[in-house]
mmCIF file of all heavy atoms in Angstrom:
data_model
loop_
_atom_site.group_PDB
_atom_site.id
_atom_site.type_symbol
_atom_site.label_atom_id
_atom_site.label_comp_id
_atom_site.label_asym_id
_atom_site.label_seq_id
_atom_site.Cartn_x
_atom_site.Cartn_y
_atom_site.Cartn_z
ATOM 1 N N PHE A 6 -4.052 -8.329 14.599
ATOM 2 C CA PHE A 6 -4.106 -9.780 14.734
ATOM 3 C C PHE A 6 -5.084 -10.356 13.720
ATOM 4 O O PHE A 6 -6.218 -9.888 13.599
ATOM 5 C CB PHE A 6 -4.535 -10.182 16.148
ATOM 6 C CG PHE A 6 -3.493 -9.870 17.196
ATOM 7 C CD1 PHE A 6 -3.527 -8.669 17.883
ATOM 8 C CD2 PHE A 6 -2.473 -10.768 17.462
ATOM 9 C CE1 PHE A 6 -2.565 -8.370 18.839
ATOM 10 C CE2 PHE A 6 -1.506 -10.479 18.407
ATOM 11 C CZ PHE A 6 -1.542 -9.282 19.100
ATOM 12 N N GLY A 7 -4.630 -11.350 12.977
ATOM 13 C CA GLY A 7 -5.449 -11.976 11.949
ATOM 14 C C GLY A 7 -6.458 -12.955 12.514
ATOM 15 O O GLY A 7 -6.502 -13.227 13.714
ATOM 16 N N GLY A 8 -7.281 -13.513 11.623
ATOM 17 C CA GLY A 8 -8.366 -14.395 12.035
ATOM 18 C C GLY A 8 -7.910 -15.643 12.767
ATOM 19 O O GLY A 8 -8.547 -16.079 13.729
ATOM 20 N N SER A 9 -6.798 -16.252 12.332
ATOM 21 C CA SER A 9 -6.308 -17.454 13.013
ATOM 22 C C SER A 9 -5.818 -17.148 14.418
ATOM 23 O O SER A 9 -5.835 -18.012 15.298
ATOM 24 C CB SER A 9 -5.188 -18.097 12.186
ATOM 25 O OG SER A 9 -4.092 -17.218 12.044
ATOM 26 N N SER A 10 -5.388 -15.907 14.648
ATOM 27 C CA SER A 10 -4.912 -15.494 15.962
ATOM 28 C C SER A 10 -6.057 -15.256 16.941
ATOM 29 O O SER A 10 -5.835 -15.109 18.140
ATOM 30 C CB SER A 10 -4.090 -14.202 15.850
ATOM 31 O OG SER A 10 -2.959 -14.378 15.032
ATOM 32 N N LEU A 11 -7.283 -15.211 16.415
ATOM 33 C CA LEU A 11 -8.453 -14.897 17.245
ATOM 34 C C LEU A 11 -9.551 -15.944 17.083
ATOM 35 O O LEU A 11 -10.711 -15.673 17.376
ATOM 36 C CB LEU A 11 -8.999 -13.518 16.850
ATOM 37 C CG LEU A 11 -8.043 -12.345 17.089
ATOM 38 C CD1 LEU A 11 -8.465 -11.129 16.257
ATOM 39 C CD2 LEU A 11 -8.020 -11.973 18.568
ATOM 40 N N ALA A 12 -9.172 -17.140 16.654
ATOM 41 C CA ALA A 12 -10.168 -18.161 16.322
ATOM 42 C C ALA A 12 -10.734 -18.886 17.539
ATOM 43 O O ALA A 12 -11.764 -19.555 17.440
ATOM 44 C CB ALA A 12 -9.560 -19.177 15.359
ATOM 45 N N SER A 13 -10.087 -18.762 18.696
ATOM 46 C CA SER A 13 -10.535 -19.479 19.890
ATOM 47 C C SER A 13 -10.164 -18.693 21.136
ATOM 48 O O SER A 13 -9.405 -17.720 21.082
ATOM 49 C CB SER A 13 -9.871 -20.864 19.954
ATOM 50 O OG SER A 13 -8.464 -20.723 20.159
ATOM 51 N N GLY A 14 -10.718 -19.139 22.266
ATOM 52 C CA GLY A 14 -10.384 -18.491 23.523
ATOM 53 C C GLY A 14 -8.908 -18.630 23.857
ATOM 54 O O GLY A 14 -8.290 -17.702 24.385
ATOM 55 N N LYS A 15 -8.335 -19.795 23.561
ATOM 56 C CA LYS A 15 -6.905 -20.006 23.816
ATOM 57 C C LYS A 15 -6.062 -19.023 23.016
ATOM 58 O O LYS A 15 -5.083 -18.466 23.536
ATOM 59 C CB LYS A 15 -6.527 -21.442 23.450
ATOM 60 C CG LYS A 15 -5.072 -21.795 23.741
ATOM 61 C CD LYS A 15 -4.782 -23.244 23.388
ATOM 62 C CE LYS A 15 -3.317 -23.597 23.662
ATOM 63 N NZ LYS A 15 -3.024 -25.010 23.310
ATOM 64 N N GLN A 16 -6.451 -18.797 21.764
ATOM 65 C CA GLN A 16 -5.717 -17.844 20.931
ATOM 66 C C GLN A 16 -5.876 -16.416 21.467
ATOM 67 O O GLN A 16 -4.922 -15.627 21.449
ATOM 68 C CB GLN A 16 -6.206 -17.933 19.487
ATOM 69 C CG GLN A 16 -5.785 -19.194 18.761
ATOM 70 C CD GLN A 16 -4.280 -19.335 18.626
ATOM 71 O OE1 GLN A 16 -3.643 -20.047 19.412
ATOM 72 N NE2 GLN A 16 -3.701 -18.647 17.665
ATOM 73 N N LEU A 17 -7.074 -16.083 21.918
ATOM 74 C CA LEU A 17 -7.309 -14.747 22.458
ATOM 75 C C LEU A 17 -6.456 -14.501 23.702
ATOM 76 O O LEU A 17 -5.958 -13.391 23.919
ATOM 77 C CB LEU A 17 -8.792 -14.557 22.773
ATOM 78 C CG LEU A 17 -9.219 -13.193 23.338
ATOM 79 C CD1 LEU A 17 -8.666 -12.040 22.514
ATOM 80 C CD2 LEU A 17 -10.740 -13.114 23.419
ATOM 81 N N GLU A 18 -6.259 -15.535 24.510
ATOM 82 C CA GLU A 18 -5.380 -15.406 25.681
ATOM 83 C C GLU A 18 -3.949 -15.087 25.243
ATOM 84 O O GLU A 18 -3.254 -14.280 25.870
ATOM 85 C CB GLU A 18 -5.411 -16.696 26.500
ATOM 86 C CG GLU A 18 -6.732 -16.942 27.210
ATOM 87 C CD GLU A 18 -6.774 -18.299 27.895
ATOM 88 O OE1 GLU A 18 -5.699 -18.935 28.047
ATOM 89 O OE2 GLU A 18 -7.874 -18.740 28.260
ATOM 90 N N LYS A 19 -3.496 -15.708 24.153
ATOM 91 C CA LYS A 19 -2.156 -15.416 23.629
ATOM 92 C C LYS A 19 -2.072 -13.961 23.183
ATOM 93 O O LYS A 19 -1.073 -13.275 23.444
ATOM 94 C CB LYS A 19 -1.832 -16.329 22.436
ATOM 95 C CG LYS A 19 -1.684 -17.801 22.770
ATOM 96 C CD LYS A 19 -1.405 -18.590 21.494
ATOM 97 C CE LYS A 19 -1.346 -20.084 21.756
ATOM 98 N NZ LYS A 19 -1.102 -20.857 20.503
ATOM 99 N N VAL A 20 -3.122 -13.504 22.498
ATOM 100 C CA VAL A 20 -3.154 -12.123 22.028
ATOM 101 C C VAL A 20 -3.045 -11.165 23.215
ATOM 102 O O VAL A 20 -2.291 -10.181 23.178
ATOM 103 C CB VAL A 20 -4.457 -11.856 21.236
ATOM 104 C CG1 VAL A 20 -4.675 -10.360 21.022
ATOM 105 C CG2 VAL A 20 -4.407 -12.582 19.900
ATOM 106 N N PHE A 21 -3.784 -11.455 24.264
ATOM 107 C CA PHE A 21 -3.759 -10.606 25.462
ATOM 108 C C PHE A 21 -2.352 -10.529 26.056
ATOM 109 O O PHE A 21 -1.864 -9.442 26.391
ATOM 110 C CB PHE A 21 -4.737 -11.162 26.498
ATOM 111 C CG PHE A 21 -4.724 -10.427 27.807
ATOM 112 C CD1 PHE A 21 -5.324 -9.180 27.924
ATOM 113 C CD2 PHE A 21 -4.092 -10.973 28.920
ATOM 114 C CE1 PHE A 21 -5.304 -8.490 29.139
ATOM 115 C CE2 PHE A 21 -4.055 -10.295 30.123
ATOM 116 C CZ PHE A 21 -4.669 -9.049 30.235
ATOM 117 N N GLN A 22 -1.690 -11.671 26.163
ATOM 118 C CA GLN A 22 -0.336 -11.693 26.735
ATOM 119 C C GLN A 22 0.655 -10.926 25.859
ATOM 120 O O GLN A 22 1.541 -10.221 26.367
ATOM 121 C CB GLN A 22 0.126 -13.141 26.926
ATOM 122 C CG GLN A 22 -0.674 -13.921 27.951
ATOM 123 C CD GLN A 22 -0.616 -13.320 29.344
ATOM 124 O OE1 GLN A 22 0.386 -12.701 29.739
ATOM 125 N NE2 GLN A 22 -1.694 -13.483 30.099
ATOM 126 N N ILE A 23 0.502 -11.056 24.551
ATOM 127 C CA ILE A 23 1.388 -10.342 23.626
ATOM 128 C C ILE A 23 1.212 -8.835 23.774
ATOM 129 O O ILE A 23 2.182 -8.086 23.872
ATOM 130 C CB ILE A 23 1.115 -10.779 22.168
ATOM 131 C CG1 ILE A 23 1.612 -12.209 21.937
ATOM 132 C CG2 ILE A 23 1.777 -9.825 21.170
ATOM 133 C CD1 ILE A 23 1.168 -12.821 20.628
ATOM 134 N N VAL A 24 -0.019 -8.377 23.796
ATOM 135 C CA VAL A 24 -0.282 -6.941 23.912
ATOM 136 C C VAL A 24 0.240 -6.394 25.230
ATOM 137 O O VAL A 24 0.887 -5.343 25.284
ATOM 138 C CB VAL A 24 -1.789 -6.652 23.759
ATOM 139 C CG1 VAL A 24 -2.082 -5.169 24.026
ATOM 140 C CG2 VAL A 24 -2.269 -7.031 22.362
ATOM 141 N N LEU A 25 -0.018 -7.121 26.310
ATOM 142 C CA LEU A 25 0.398 -6.642 27.633
ATOM 143 C C LEU A 25 1.911 -6.702 27.834
ATOM 144 O O LEU A 25 2.450 -6.024 28.715
ATOM 145 C CB LEU A 25 -0.299 -7.461 28.734
ATOM 146 C CG LEU A 25 -1.603 -6.886 29.290
ATOM 147 C CD1 LEU A 25 -1.322 -5.672 30.152
ATOM 148 C CD2 LEU A 25 -2.584 -6.543 28.185
ATOM 149 N N SER A 26 2.612 -7.495 27.029
ATOM 150 C CA SER A 26 4.058 -7.637 27.218
ATOM 151 C C SER A 26 4.838 -6.413 26.763
ATOM 152 O O SER A 26 6.021 -6.289 27.046
ATOM 153 C CB SER A 26 4.558 -8.875 26.450
ATOM 154 O OG SER A 26 4.472 -8.674 25.043
ATOM 155 N N ASP A 27 4.176 -5.504 26.039
ATOM 156 C CA ASP A 27 4.853 -4.310 25.538
ATOM 157 C C ASP A 27 3.925 -3.102 25.719
ATOM 158 O O ASP A 27 2.913 -3.000 25.019
ATOM 159 C CB ASP A 27 5.205 -4.490 24.062
ATOM 160 C CG ASP A 27 6.072 -3.354 23.524
ATOM 161 O OD1 ASP A 27 6.141 -2.282 24.171
ATOM 162 O OD2 ASP A 27 6.675 -3.529 22.446
ATOM 163 N N PRO A 28 4.252 -2.199 26.641
ATOM 164 C CA PRO A 28 3.389 -1.033 26.895
ATOM 165 C C PRO A 28 3.245 -0.110 25.695
ATOM 166 O O PRO A 28 2.360 0.748 25.675
ATOM 167 C CB PRO A 28 4.086 -0.321 28.066
ATOM 168 C CG PRO A 28 5.501 -0.807 28.032
ATOM 169 C CD PRO A 28 5.435 -2.204 27.534
ATOM 170 N N GLU A 29 4.102 -0.274 24.674
ATOM 171 C CA GLU A 29 3.993 0.546 23.472
ATOM 172 C C GLU A 29 2.837 0.098 22.571
ATOM 173 O O GLU A 29 2.430 0.829 21.679
ATOM 174 C CB GLU A 29 5.307 0.496 22.683
ATOM 175 C CG GLU A 29 6.488 1.155 23.382
ATOM 176 C CD GLU A 29 6.269 2.648 23.574
ATOM 177 O OE1 GLU A 29 5.909 3.323 22.592
ATOM 178 O OE2 GLU A 29 6.411 3.124 24.706
ATOM 179 N N ARG A 30 2.323 -1.102 22.826
ATOM 180 C CA ARG A 30 1.215 -1.623 22.022
ATOM 181 C C ARG A 30 -0.095 -1.044 22.543
ATOM 182 O O ARG A 30 -0.735 -1.602 23.429
ATOM 183 C CB ARG A 30 1.212 -3.150 22.054
ATOM 184 C CG ARG A 30 2.400 -3.752 21.320
ATOM 185 C CD ARG A 30 2.517 -5.256 21.521
ATOM 186 N NE ARG A 30 3.618 -5.803 20.732
ATOM 187 C CZ ARG A 30 4.392 -6.823 21.103
ATOM 188 N NH1 ARG A 30 4.174 -7.431 22.279
ATOM 189 N NH2 ARG A 30 5.378 -7.249 20.341
ATOM 190 N N LYS A 31 -0.474 0.073 21.951
ATOM 191 C CA LYS A 31 -1.633 0.827 22.438
ATOM 192 C C LYS A 31 -2.890 0.594 21.605
ATOM 193 O O LYS A 31 -4.001 0.593 22.125
ATOM 194 C CB LYS A 31 -1.297 2.322 22.445
ATOM 195 C CG LYS A 31 -2.421 3.241 22.904
ATOM 196 C CD LYS A 31 -1.996 4.699 22.886
ATOM 197 C CE LYS A 31 -3.157 5.638 23.170
ATOM 198 N NZ LYS A 31 -3.659 5.516 24.537
ATOM 199 N N VAL A 32 -2.746 0.392 20.297
ATOM 200 C CA VAL A 32 -3.894 0.211 19.408
ATOM 201 C C VAL A 32 -3.848 -1.199 18.831
ATOM 202 O O VAL A 32 -2.851 -1.597 18.225
ATOM 203 C CB VAL A 32 -3.892 1.255 18.273
ATOM 204 C CG1 VAL A 32 -5.064 1.017 17.337
ATOM 205 C CG2 VAL A 32 -3.950 2.667 18.847
ATOM 206 N N VAL A 33 -4.952 -1.929 19.025
ATOM 207 C CA VAL A 33 -5.035 -3.315 18.573
ATOM 208 C C VAL A 33 -6.132 -3.423 17.522
ATOM 209 O O VAL A 33 -7.299 -3.123 17.787
ATOM 210 C CB VAL A 33 -5.346 -4.265 19.745
ATOM 211 C CG1 VAL A 33 -5.427 -5.714 19.257
ATOM 212 C CG2 VAL A 33 -4.291 -4.127 20.840
ATOM 213 N N VAL A 34 -5.759 -3.845 16.317
ATOM 214 C CA VAL A 34 -6.720 -4.037 15.220
ATOM 215 C C VAL A 34 -7.030 -5.526 15.115
ATOM 216 O O VAL A 34 -6.111 -6.351 15.086
ATOM 217 C CB VAL A 34 -6.152 -3.524 13.885
ATOM 218 C CG1 VAL A 34 -7.132 -3.772 12.755
ATOM 219 C CG2 VAL A 34 -5.820 -2.038 13.997
ATOM 220 N N VAL A 35 -8.321 -5.868 15.079
ATOM 221 C CA VAL A 35 -8.688 -7.283 15.080
ATOM 222 C C VAL A 35 -9.469 -7.668 13.836
ATOM 223 O O VAL A 35 -10.250 -6.889 13.283
ATOM 224 C CB VAL A 35 -9.514 -7.649 16.340
ATOM 225 C CG1 VAL A 35 -8.719 -7.347 17.599
ATOM 226 C CG2 VAL A 35 -10.848 -6.906 16.364
ATOM 227 N N SER A 36 -9.260 -8.908 13.419
ATOM 228 C CA SER A 36 -10.040 -9.517 12.337
ATOM 229 C C SER A 36 -11.211 -10.275 12.940
ATOM 230 O O SER A 36 -11.326 -10.412 14.160
ATOM 231 C CB SER A 36 -9.165 -10.478 11.535
ATOM 232 O OG SER A 36 -8.088 -9.804 10.923
ATOM 233 N N ALA A 37 -12.065 -10.795 12.089
ATOM 234 C CA ALA A 37 -13.117 -11.709 12.533
ATOM 235 C C ALA A 37 -12.479 -13.058 12.854
ATOM 236 O O ALA A 37 -11.406 -13.385 12.347
ATOM 237 C CB ALA A 37 -14.175 -11.856 11.454
#
Side-chain angles (χ1 to χ4, degrees):
F6 291 93
S9 61
S10 299
L11 297 161
S13 67
K15 183 178 179 181
Q16 288 298 99
L17 181 49
E18 291 174 14
K19 293 178 184 179
V20 167
F21 176 75
Q22 294 299 329
I23 289 169
V24 174
L25 266 288
S26 69
D27 187 343
E29 293 296 310
R30 291 172 176 146
K31 179 180 173 67
V32 178
V33 180
V34 178
V35 301
S36 298

